[in-house]
Amino acid sequence: MLQDQDKEITLDGKWEGIEFPLCSSIPSNTPHAVSVSLPKWIDNVDYLEGNLRVVEKMKTGYPRFCVHEYVKQVFESIVIKAGLQGYTCFGFPSPRVASDCIDFVRRQSPSAEPKLVEYSIKPKNGSIPPSTLVAVLVPQEFYSTLKAFWLHTGEIITSRYAEYYAANYGIKLTLNDAKQSDPEAYLQNWQCKFGIEKAEKAKEALRQRIAAGLLDKPGHEDASDVYLYPTGMSAIYNSHRLALATQGNLKSVCFGFPYTDTLKILQNFGPGCHFLGSGDDDDLGRLEAILEQEPILALYCEIPSNPLLKSPSLTRLRQLANKYGFLVIVDDTIGGLVNLDLLDFVDIVASSLTKIFSGKGDVMGGSLAISPKSSKRHLIKQWLDANHEDLMWNEDAIVLELNSRGFEERMCRINSDAEALCDFLRSHPLVKQVFYPKYTTPEIFEQYRRSKGGYGYLFSLDFYTPNHAISFYDNLACAKGPSHGTNFTLVCPYTLIAHYSELDWAASHNVSPSLVRVSVGLEGSAWLRKAFSKALSSLTDDDSKTTP
């Protein structure tokens, strides 16, 4: 529980000496947590190396990376039910998604010969929605190919949906040895809390909230221009499907160093992409040279980018898009709806609602919003209205709607505390660089910052030596694990987690292998300064003499 800023507290009312045990859920008070504790640098390395010390303990994690135990148990039951010993499976929320998965598997692993099994739940009670789970099964040696589709596209079955499926099929789920409640009792409770009518109201409230935030005109929003998805990556993936369908089978452009799975979508689905990893004036010149030679599908960028917090010149990109006819699709997740005014410059805004919009770290979600200023608005809306599938699970929508109430107030408070913390860290002699929109391409970010907006909740730290980064991370008394945008401060060794198999490539784009990414929470400025000062005080000259 978070209390007044001047009190020395953090999660669950604790402060000094707080510990998040290895592989414990973050947050700890829900079976649906979207992060997992990796409290030491070596824990992250061992997880990425598949060390049993870590992976055998991991029951939850970021749901695209680490398949939730509820979901895993449902998938195992499907393999048994299908009688396909030696196979593995992933389930998806619609036949279209499963079909996309099969196409991906056949391209990546032609000998896999995927099989498909569909399960439908059609409750007699009209207040409970019908639902579909379509499983794609392949021999176990092709597990990584199947997992790659789940990971990159975000078209996933969530843990709450797995609970619902399991209850309907009489499957007793377990998590950390705790059994799910009786299936019949669970379904009766579910009907009361999460029926169709409540879910429809929640989804409409979410669309209105997103539209109001984008337009900064509460009460004047057009919520029909907002489309919901089960995850943020699902929103990105479906924007790419839209672009391919409406623009032609062309390459896209990834402008600036992006979140890793955005680039993977652009590279692995369709004819590929041009990667312009700096996103600066030089890359604008390279982009113009490409456009003189060939048409492009769409340009994808983030404002600011993850993890370097750079901002692209949307003004210049809009001018080029108008001249050459491509879509501009921007991911504003880190910037946040409260901080930036983007609609004059983009065609589509993609957001991960899992992050600061929710804040609690216990539900996934994503959205696409069409800019009312887009010259292609009619074409985009026509395709989305014909092809959008409502795959955000009812229960997830209701939880997300509850979580997101008051997100503007949370965002404004975190803006202030994050900025104060970054100013402090930037002046510290042992910190090499702070990546934050206030200091990283500020002349561009300021062009799009609202008058009441701030610089956001996320920043990255680079130290003079890898050992300084490791010591700082190990001694920082806060939650440490993947994801960001939580109401509590959450830290990860970003490059290690996102690019472990391609560290040299990341370094070639100025993303340090020892980068530490920080997502600021609501603990308050005094709490943050004390915690970060203590971690910095652990650094010694000896740390700089050797590298791990």
Side-chain angles (χ1 to χ4, degrees):
M1 185 173 108
L2 296 166
Q3 299 175 8
D4 294 337
Q5 294 187 31
D6 59 348
K7 294 182 180 178
E8 296 182 338
I9 55 96
T10 182
L11 298 176
D12 301 321
K14 300 176 185 177
W15 163 238
E16 295 289 0
I18 185 171
E19 292 185 4
F20 298 90
L22 175 64
C23 292
S24 59
S25 297
I26 303 176
S28 60
N29 59 348
T30 172
H32 305 292
V34 303
S35 191
V36 62
S37 178
L38 296 168
K40 300 296 182 183
W41 194 279
I42 189 63
D43 298 332
N44 291 272
V45 174
D46 284 351
Y47 162 66
L48 295 161
E49 292 283 354
N51 190 310
L52 295 181
R53 178 185 76 85
V54 176
V55 296
E56 285 189 339
K57 292 181 179 180
M58 192 168 287
K59 303 300 181 183
T60 61
Y62 198 71
R64 288 189 301 105
F65 304 162
C66 174
V67 182
H68 191 282
E69 275 297 301
Y70 288 172
V71 178
K72 190 183 301 182
Q73 289 164 42
V74 164
F75 292 173
E76 289 169 352
S77 75
I78 290 172
V79 172
I80 294 170
K81 189 181 300 184
L84 291 170
Q85 186 177 3
Y87 276 65
T88 188
C89 96
F90 277 76
F92 300 99
S94 82
R96 189 273 306 164
V97 177
S99 177
D100 286 359
C101 178
I102 288 174
D103 289 345
F104 176 81
V105 170
R106 285 174 174 161
R107 289 196 309 272
Q108 301 293 321
S109 301
S111 61
E113 298 184 0
K115 301 180 184 298
L116 186 147
V117 179
E118 182 172 337
Y119 297 95
S120 295
I121 302 171
K122 298 179 180 179
K124 296 178 181 179
N125 188 311
S127 68
I128 299 179
S131 56
T132 299
L133 189 154
V134 188
V136 177
L137 299 97
V138 297
Q140 287 177 351
E141 60 264 33
F142 299 107
Y143 172 86
S144 59
T145 303
L146 202 52
K147 173 71 178 297
F149 179 85
W150 171 279
L151 172 66
H152 299 325
T153 68
E155 300 271 67
I156 70 172
I157 294 291
T158 68
S159 54
R160 287 186 177 87
Y161 179 76
E163 273 192 302
Y164 178 80
Y165 174 94
N168 275 278
Y169 279 95
I171 301 168
K172 289 289 186 73
L173 300 175
T174 61
L175 180 65
N176 298 326
D177 299 323
K179 288 188 177 182
Q180 184 195 55
S181 60
D182 177 72
E184 185 174 344
Y186 168 86
L187 287 174
Q188 289 178 351
N189 182 60
W190 197 96
Q191 177 184 337
C192 294
K193 289 185 175 181
F194 305 113
I196 291 177
E197 184 178 349
K198 291 182 179 180
E200 288 176 348
K201 288 180 179 178
K203 290 177 182 180
E204 181 59 23
L206 289 169
R207 286 190 287 266
Q208 290 179 356
R209 198 164 293 155
I210 293 163
L214 283 168
L215 293 170
D216 197 27
K217 295 179 180 178
H220 300 279
E221 62 275 3
D222 186 354
S224 68
D225 282 347
V226 177
Y227 299 81
L228 301 176
Y229 294 89
T231 67
M233 286 316 304
S234 173
I236 295 284
Y237 173 67
N238 280 282
S239 75
H240 191 244
R241 289 181 62 234
L242 177 160
L244 286 168
T246 59
Q247 299 288 104
N249 196 40
L250 305 170
K251 285 187 175 181
S252 54
V253 167
C254 183
F255 194 78
F257 193 90
Y259 176 67
T260 179
D261 286 311
T262 296
L263 182 57
K264 294 294 190 291
I265 286 173
L266 304 184
Q267 290 173 331
N268 294 328
F269 298 87
C273 80
H274 300 282
F275 176 49
L276 303 176
S278 295
D280 54 13
D281 286 345
D282 289 342
D283 274 351
L284 280 168
R286 296 183 185 99
L287 174 61
E288 288 191 81
I290 290 169
L291 293 168
E292 287 295 321
Q293 297 296 318
E294 63 178 281
I296 67 166
L297 178 75
L299 181 142
Y300 283 79
C301 60
E302 301 169 352
I303 183 164
S305 65
N306 182 10
L308 296 182
L309 288 302
K310 293 175 70 174
S311 300
S313 175
L314 296 178
T315 306
R316 292 280 304 279
L317 294 175
R318 180 73 266 162
Q319 292 168 352
L320 291 172
N322 290 342
K323 180 178 179 179
Y324 292 98
F326 58 86
L327 294 172
V328 177
I329 301 173
V330 64
D331 182 345
D332 75 336
T333 299
I334 294 172
L337 297 177
V338 173
N339 293 326
L340 298 171
D341 186 0
L342 307 176
L343 294 183
D344 286 343
F345 309 97
V346 307
D347 296 290
I348 299 173
V349 177
S351 302
S352 173
L353 308 179
T354 308
K355 309 304 192 297
I356 194 65
F357 185 80
S358 167
K360 289 194 176 180
D362 64 351
V363 68
M364 302 283 280
S367 68
L368 293 179
I370 310 170
S371 169
K373 309 292 184 66
S374 171
S375 63
K376 297 178 183 288
R377 179 183 178 277
H378 177 72
L379 180 66
I380 294 167
K381 188 166 181 59
Q382 185 178 45
W383 189 90
L384 281 170
D385 286 344
N387 294 279
H388 174 258
E389 295 180 282
D390 182 6
L391 300 181
M392 179 180 281
W393 180 235
N394 282 20
E395 188 177 350
D396 291 324
I398 292 168
V399 172
L400 183 58
E401 193 279 319
L402 291 170
N403 289 358
S404 61
R405 295 177 185 180
F407 88 94
E408 300 97 333
E409 182 182 352
R410 286 188 285 112
M411 188 78 207
C412 290
R413 178 175 162 185
I414 291 175
N415 279 339
S416 176
D417 290 347
E419 182 179 359
L421 179 60
C422 286
D423 287 345
F424 161 69
L425 292 170
R426 195 165 183 248
S427 67
H428 198 284
L430 295 180
V431 175
K432 181 180 180 182
Q433 190 168 0
V434 178
F435 298 92
Y436 191 56
K438 184 177 180 179
Y439 329 119
T440 310
T441 59
E443 69 286 353
I444 298 177
F445 188 87
E446 293 292 349
Q447 295 176 37
Y448 314 110
R449 185 162 73 99
R450 297 189 196 276
S451 57
K452 67 178 182 181
Y455 299 104
Y457 62 86
L458 197 78
F459 66 89
S460 297
L461 291 175
D462 195 12
F463 292 87
Y464 288 101
T465 72
N467 276 13
H468 272 168
I470 293 168
S471 182
F472 172 80
Y473 180 89
D474 287 353
N475 286 282
L476 185 60
C478 71
K480 286 173 276 189
S483 196
H484 58 85
T486 47
N487 293 339
F488 47 87
T489 297
L490 185 61
V491 178
C492 77
Y494 177 81
T495 317
L496 208 65
I497 289 288
H499 300 288
Y500 190 64
S501 63
E502 50 189 18
L503 292 174
D504 290 341
W505 172 80
S508 72
H509 293 281
N510 299 314
V511 181
S512 167
S514 54
L515 200 72
V516 177
R517 191 186 69 184
V518 178
S519 173
V520 173
L522 291 168
E523 296 92 346
S525 184
W527 185 97
L528 290 163
R529 181 155 182 166
K530 182 170 184 177
F532 279 73
S533 294
K534 186 174 181 180
L536 287 168
S537 71
S538 70
L539 307 187
T540 66
D541 290 339
D542 290 339
D543 289 330
S544 63
K545 293 177 181 177
T546 60
T547 57

